[in-house]
Amino acid sequence: FPVTIRSKMKHEYGSVTVELYPVGASEVEEDKRFHKATPSGSLTLTIDNPPAQEFFETGEEYYLDFTKCVSQV
């Protein structure tokens, strides 16, 4: 069965290059759980699609999901 890994990240900078970092420890219980599991890291995306660029807003938080691909070969 497919395994999904989820991380909660925050958009820090506004531009066509989107930089996401794990949420820090806070009073929010969900943030505490995510921070314990992924206390550091980063994801940088360079986005050329204007609607996708507009999706990310500086200061907002996003869930990041990883699902393993099954080879089609």
Side-chain angles (χ1 to χ4, degrees), residues 31-43:
D31 291 354
K32 289 178 185 177
R33 290 191 308 274
F34 278 112
H35 181 73
K36 183 177 180 181
T38 52
S40 67
S42 65
L43 174 68

Side-chain angles (χ1 to χ4, degrees), residues 1-6 65-72:
F1 67 95
V3 175
T4 300
I5 299 170
R6 174 174 267 192
D65 297 312
F66 293 97
T67 304
K68 187 175 182 177
C69 297
V70 177
S71 177
Q72 299 296 318

Side-chain angles (χ1 to χ4, degrees), residues 38-52:
T38 52
S40 67
S42 65
L43 174 68
T44 302
L45 303 170
T46 300
I47 302 173
D48 292 330
N49 180 332

